Amino acid sequence: KPIMPKTKRIKRSTPTSASAPYSASSRPSSSSTTPSDHATKSSAGTNLIAPNTSLGQHFLKNPAVVTAIVAKSALKPTDTVLEIGPGTGNMTVPLLQQSKHVIAIEYDNRMVREVLKRVEGTAEERKLQIVQGDAIKTRFPFFDVCVANVPYQISSALVFKLLSHRPMFRCAVMMFQEEFALRLTARPGEALYCRLSVNTQLLAKVDQLMKVGRNNFRPPPKVESRVVRLELRNPPPPVDFTEWDGMVRLLFNRKNKTLRAVLMTKPTIRLLEENRRTQRALRGDSMDEEVEEKNAEQIIEEVVNMEQWKDKRASKLDLDDFLALLAEFNKRG
């Protein structure tokens, strides 16, 4: 069985302190404020804190887009919302107004202070909890809905983290760079169809919700953005995901080559044979049984020569094809 190493996650530097939650009763110190200060904080347009573009920060400044994203999240008054990257809080405030509780994960301590100041003295103050830290390294709490304006650097890692999150959540409404968003829903034969497309569609239903122009951000990013909704498939498909992802990763390394050309190389055959031996050892199979059976090269040869798979390429296979291919390899040992 083609078992491959787990997906490598993008490494980012961590803050000097460990991930730390802040709430109304425990937060970084800030200067004293007056009622007029509160009015200023609640206005997105007057917030001029400088974004750190090295962290992928682009503040969503258009209130109409914020309103649309919150509406598409279809929040209930009893919901707990996980917001990733609240920035200056332009979306955090309406999320607080329409839900029971918001847990926001923010890497930049300047933004932590800014969001807390934004809700200070308001009815929403006690409904907000902020966790300072890296969203990829921070353990997610229970939540019903996730809302995020996602920095490009962590897009893929965040999607895979959400796909594996348990207990299951109702949905995630997230904004990505346009090309990444389109990869999530790409179909066989399309240029953007890739391992990300296949794995995401295996584990979730993904819908494109809206396009967001770059002039809606401060500073404007170099590309357009899109908002997508992700709903986990429940129950999840009965597939060993490590095994599945190992096969898909291998085939998409050269997605336009035939399955035979990808799989019948010496390094690949050697790797699959080693994995197969490891699995047999873990199951306690005897060496005598192993000698009697076909080796990895013979199994691959048989499968790729089947009429169903002859001259087929990963770039043209759909989910059902990949599931059938994995089942064929498993059936043969």
Side-chain angles (χ1 to χ4, degrees):
K1 301 179 184 179
I3 299 179
M4 303 292 287
K6 293 184 179 179
T7 305
K8 291 183 179 179
R9 290 178 172 174
I10 299 171
K11 294 183 178 180
R12 301 175 59 206
S13 58
T14 56
T16 52
S17 59
S19 297
Y22 298 101
S23 62
S25 59
S26 172
R27 59 162 157 259
S29 61
S30 59
S31 57
S32 61
T33 56
T34 65
S36 62
D37 292 327
H38 296 313
T40 301
K41 293 170 208 165
S42 63
S43 171
T46 59
N47 198 323
L48 298 178
I49 190 168
N52 185 340
T53 54
S54 68
L55 296 178
Q57 290 177 350
H58 295 273
F59 300 149
L60 182 59
K61 65 180 184 180
N62 187 338
V65 176
V66 172
T67 300
I69 292 174
V70 174
K72 291 178 184 298
S73 302
L75 297 178
K76 302 176 182 178
T78 55
D79 280 342
T80 293
V81 178
L82 176 68
E83 185 183 14
I84 297 171
T88 59
N90 292 347
M91 198 170 330
T92 311
V93 172
L95 290 174
L96 286 164
Q97 292 168 345
Q98 296 192 31
S99 65
K100 180 180 181 180
H101 186 53
V102 172
I103 303 169
I105 300 178
E106 175 56 61
Y107 184 88
D108 189 340
N109 59 8
R110 299 176 307 147
M111 303 304 156
V112 172
R113 292 193 294 268
E114 191 67 23
V115 176
L116 289 170
K117 286 193 293 182
R118 191 83 175 262
V119 299
E120 188 175 7
T122 70
E124 285 74 41
E125 184 176 15
R126 293 190 176 278
K127 296 165 68 175
L128 174 65
Q129 176 188 351
I130 297 187
V131 177
Q132 184 183 350
D134 186 326
I136 304 304
K137 297 177 181 178
T138 300
R139 184 176 179 180
F140 287 170
F142 168 84
F143 62 93
D144 299 293
V145 176
C146 175
V147 179
N149 175 14
V150 185
Y152 180 74
Q153 297 97 314
I154 67 168
S155 296
S156 183
L158 178 59
V159 167
F160 280 108
K161 183 168 183 176
L162 287 169
L163 290 174
S164 63
H165 180 74
R166 298 294 183 272
M168 288 189 170
F169 50 92
R170 191 164 74 246
C171 71
V173 176
M174 298 179 288
M175 182 150 52
F176 298 107
Q177 287 190 359
E178 184 171 42
E179 181 178 310
F180 183 90
L182 292 174
R183 287 183 183 277
L184 295 175
T185 53
R187 308 302 301 170
E190 296 178 354
L192 294 178
Y193 190 55
C194 62
R195 171 176 163 249
L196 175 69
S197 317
V198 174
N199 282 345
T200 303
Q201 293 168 35
L202 173 76
L203 299 174
K205 178 178 180 289
V206 188
D207 295 307
Q208 300 285 340
L209 299 182
M210 59 188 287
K211 186 173 180 176
V212 181
R214 48 191 168 179
N215 289 331
N216 292 290
F217 299 88
R218 177 174 69 84
K222 295 179 180 179
V223 297
E224 308 291 283
S225 298
R226 279 181 177 265
V227 179
V228 305
R229 179 174 53 236
L230 186 151
E231 299 175 30
L232 297 184
R233 298 194 186 279
N234 190 11
V239 174
D240 181 327
F241 185 75
T242 303
E243 196 173 77
W244 163 275
D245 187 48
M247 181 187 74
V248 171
R249 184 197 290 111
L250 190 62
L251 296 178
F252 272 99
N253 278 340
R254 296 190 294 163
K255 69 175 185 178
N256 292 314
K257 297 289 185 180
T258 64
L259 300 182
R260 181 185 180 83
V262 174
L263 296 174
M264 291 298 292
T265 63
K266 289 182 180 179
T268 299
I269 291 170
R270 185 166 56 250
L271 176 64
L272 297 183
E273 187 62 50
E274 289 172 358
N275 288 343
R276 189 161 169 263
R277 286 176 178 272
T278 300
Q279 284 289 33
R280 289 186 171 280
L282 291 173
R283 291 201 305 263
D285 293 352
S286 70
M287 294 302 293
D288 292 340
E289 290 176 342
E290 187 175 342
V291 169
E292 293 174 3
E293 295 196 5
K294 297 172 183 177
N295 59 34
E297 182 175 3
Q298 291 171 317
I299 292 173
I300 295 169
E301 184 79 49
E302 286 183 2
V303 173
V304 298
N305 282 333
M306 291 173 64
E307 193 62 35
Q308 183 179 359
W309 309 116
K310 191 177 291 185
D311 299 326
K312 292 295 177 66
R313 293 160 170 77
S315 60
K316 302 294 177 65
L317 301 183
D318 61 19
L319 276 180
D320 290 337
D321 292 329
F322 283 113
L323 287 167
L325 182 61
L326 181 61
E328 194 65 48
F329 279 121
N330 283 340
K331 183 173 71 175
R332 294 167 186 264

